[in-house]
Amino acid sequence: MKRSRSITLWLIALASPFALIATLDFSLRNAPVVPAQFQLREADFIESHADTPRDLPAVGWRHTELPRVVSVAQMRPSSAWFRVSFDVSGAGDDPWAVYLQRPYSNVVLYINGSKIGDGGPMARPIPFHRGPLLVSVPAKLLRSGANVLEVRSVHAYQRPRLTMAGVGPRTQVLPVFVFTHGFAVTTKQVSAIVLAVLATLFGALWWLRRRETAYGWFALGLYAWAAHIQIMLMPRPPFESEILWQHLQGIAIGVFALTSALFVNRYTGLRQPRVERVMMALWGAGAAILLADPLFLGYRFPGFGNRVWIPMLTLISAYTVSTLLRSLARGLTAEVAVLGAAGWLVLVVSVRDTLIELDWLQGRLYLAYTVGFVLCVVGAVLVIRFAETTETVAPSESLNR
């Protein structure tokens, strides 16, 4: 009976990441969508650095289906215009709006030649919007019958694009924007705040028991993941180098991966000093390249982040999970079982997100949500551990440096 129960628990733990991904996919598949008649499915586009529609050339336009990423000759920054016709016949008196699900660039929008809004200044540092945008359309600009929407997409160092978009009555597109904004922005904002608070708490616990360095590494990892989310949510960098801002986000993810490994090694008491030194050396070299590339090398390694850095961090995560498995082999405890399941969950989602970033898979990125949940669970385990010990008890060797 005991063996059967153990096998069942192992199977549940192994299946949990895939069940979570399937659940999220199913939930989002049933999320609000822009009605079909208001979706933008095709457009004309042209690579151009024109500031307004009046400055656009009359020739050179090409037709495409949407979404579309434009291959451009001139990068840093890149710029493309999209022109879409839509009909407002029978629209009634409802105000209209333009919805962009994930611009992944900075945008400026025009209706019938008049500007209706933008995602920020086109001067550097150029904003980079990962979340949705909703731009209201003044009723006076619409006319019965055919209308023209023109969207300029500008990116500081990647290709311009027009992704999932819609234009229609505000009552039809607002629910979609509210849901997407809640999922892509608000949830992450709350997560970053919670993690920063937890990081401060565990930093204080480490200060009380400075010999138990697991608390310190865990606090640093929490701060790093909160910083990663905050950088992701800020469309416009605070300095001119947009590439450096993006690389700082990658370094924050790297700090989280490295500190997670160091935390688990100390928590389980399975330290491997040589492995840690090699891991830290490789991490330091990668972080140095991420910093030097935009600062001194002129962005000569544009694929380093996705093709080298992120896979290396995934390997560090795999090492962290292997340490937890080694600890489980020594004897199953509730604490290590929870940590092992959490590590396995993060590893599977991390590998999946990496494959999506490399365009080997299609889908939404879930790592930001998964890690926040996992860190809260691990934090609860550590708080219980801390509460069960007293100042008179010698610090556990497994939490020591």
Side-chain angles (χ1 to χ4, degrees):
M1 178 66 71
K2 187 175 180 180
R3 178 180 176 81
S4 176
R5 183 181 302 171
S6 178
I7 293 175
T8 301
L9 290 175
W10 275 103
L11 291 176
I12 292 174
L14 291 173
S16 61
F18 307 99
L20 174 65
I21 292 170
T23 300
L24 289 172
D25 284 341
F26 179 79
S27 300
L28 293 174
R29 194 176 296 119
N30 291 277
V33 296
V34 176
Q37 66 269 33
F38 301 121
Q39 294 178 15
L40 302 182
R41 300 182 182 277
E42 54 187 35
D44 296 323
F45 74 96
I46 188 172
E47 178 189 354
S48 172
H49 284 264
D51 291 326
T52 68
R54 290 190 298 272
D55 302 322
L56 288 169
V59 297
W61 292 81
R62 289 179 286 170
H63 193 73
T64 183
E65 294 183 349
L66 299 177
R68 174 65 186 244
V69 179
V70 179
S71 296
V72 295
Q74 181 177 343
M75 297 285 283
R76 284 183 278 169
S78 61
S79 175
W81 283 83
F82 296 84
R83 181 177 289 162
V84 187
S85 296
F86 64 97
D87 195 349
V88 298
S89 300
D93 297 327
D94 289 341
W96 277 46
V98 178
Y99 166 71
L100 303 178
Q101 184 182 52
R102 194 184 184 195
Y104 225 70
S105 61
N106 193 27
V107 293
V108 59
L109 300 90
Y110 292 79
I111 292 287
N112 297 323
S114 298
K115 182 179 177 180
I116 61 170
D118 58 46
M122 290 297 179
R124 298 189 64 185
I126 298 172
F128 174 29
H129 295 276
R130 291 183 172 91
L133 293 177
L134 186 71
V135 181
S136 298
V137 179
K140 63 182 181 180
L141 296 182
L142 295 173
R143 51 181 178 241
S144 180
N147 291 260
V148 176
L149 167 67
E150 291 165 306
V151 180
R152 184 188 182 193
S153 170
V154 176
H155 201 292
Y157 55 91
Q158 293 182 7
R159 294 179 293 175
R161 65 200 67 202
L162 182 58
T163 56
M164 301 291 291
V167 55
R170 187 178 176 86
T171 54
Q172 298 292 323
V173 298
L174 181 60
V176 185
F177 170 78
V178 170
F179 177 87
T180 307
H181 189 273
F183 180 79
V185 179
T186 306
T187 302
K188 293 177 181 177
Q189 289 173 333
V190 173
S191 175
I193 293 171
V194 171
L195 294 179
V197 171
L198 284 175
T200 304
L201 168 64
F202 282 102
L205 296 183
W206 168 75
W207 184 258
L208 292 174
R209 298 183 183 177
R210 272 169 280 181
R211 288 186 58 195
E212 302 187 28
T213 55
Y215 294 118
W217 289 118
F218 186 66
L220 183 57
L222 287 169
Y223 277 127
W225 194 258
H228 149 63
I229 294 175
Q230 190 57 40
I231 293 173
M232 183 191 305
L233 293 177
M234 288 181 61
R236 196 178 194 206
F239 43 77
E240 186 169 304
S241 178
E242 301 92 347
I243 300 174
L244 177 60
W245 184 243
Q246 178 75 4
H247 285 191
L248 288 177
Q249 180 189 356
I251 290 174
I253 298 174
V255 171
F256 169 76
L258 181 63
T259 55
S260 295
L262 298 176
F263 157 71
V264 167
N265 281 3
R266 284 146 184 79
Y267 190 89
T268 60
L270 296 176
R271 288 196 59 189
Q272 294 180 297
R274 288 185 179 179
V275 174
E276 288 186 2
R277 286 194 292 270
V278 171
M279 187 166 54
M280 295 177 75
L282 291 174
W283 186 96
I289 292 174
L290 285 177
L291 290 174
D293 192 23
L295 288 175
F296 309 113
L297 303 179
Y299 195 40
R300 297 180 60 184
F301 305 102
F304 181 81
N306 284 341
R307 292 182 174 84
V308 179
W309 181 251
I310 295 300
M312 184 180 74
L313 299 185
T314 302
L315 290 176
I316 292 177
S317 298
Y319 166 75
T320 303
V321 173
S322 71
T323 302
L324 290 168
L325 292 175
R326 288 166 52 218
S327 180
L328 286 171
R330 295 193 311 177
L332 183 64
T333 66
E335 289 180 1
V336 176
V338 170
L339 292 179
W344 170 245
L345 175 62
V346 170
L347 176 61
V348 172
V349 177
S350 175
V351 170
R352 174 187 173 276
D353 277 20
T354 299
L355 294 177
I356 292 174
E357 292 280 6
L358 294 172
D359 292 326
W360 294 353
L361 284 179
Q362 297 295 321
R364 294 177 181 264
L365 304 176
Y366 294 146
L367 188 61
Y369 310 97
T370 305
V371 170
F373 168 75
V374 164
L375 289 176
C376 289
V377 172
V378 174
V381 171
L382 287 180
V383 168
I384 293 172
R385 159 70 74 91
F386 189 89
E388 288 177 346
T389 59
T390 64
E391 293 293 345
T392 58
V393 176
S396 169
E397 197 65 31
S398 66
L399 298 183
N400 290 349
R401 184 182 302 275

